[in-house]
Amino acid sequence: MAKRQTYTEAEVRRFIKAGRAEDPNAVVEIETDKGIVRFRSEDPRPPENPFDAWKAKRNEGNAKGH
């Protein structure tokens, strides 16, 4: 049986940093035996049209309490 692969916090940080260097809005995925862990960018892309901007601003308050 193969040895289980484990990642240190420093390695995970390097993975994320490398992904962000290629594309600041990249979603970095790390696959484990339990599933896939996704690290999304903290700064979402701005809405492309006025309706999306309005909708995002309108729904902004709904996400804060949850």
Side-chain angles (χ1 to χ4, degrees):
M1 186 173 222
K3 184 179 176 188
R4 197 174 195 189
Q5 176 69 37
T6 58
Y7 299 111
T8 64
E9 182 179 347
E11 289 174 321
V12 171
R13 288 182 186 272
R14 281 195 295 268
F15 296 153
I16 295 170
K17 186 176 179 180
R20 297 284 185 259
E22 289 296 315
D23 179 7
N25 293 317
V27 176
V28 179
E29 296 182 345
I30 300 175
E31 189 173 341
T32 67
D33 341 344
K34 306 272 185 201
I36 297 175
V37 180
R38 291 183 181 93
F39 297 91
R40 296 175 24 183
S41 64
E42 293 183 20
D43 226 0
R45 293 182 184 169
E48 295 180 13
N49 61 52
F51 174 76
D52 288 340
W54 170 80
K55 190 71 170 173
K57 187 173 181 174
R58 183 170 183 252
N59 290 334
E60 197 173 68
N62 295 339
K64 290 183 181 176
H66 301 332

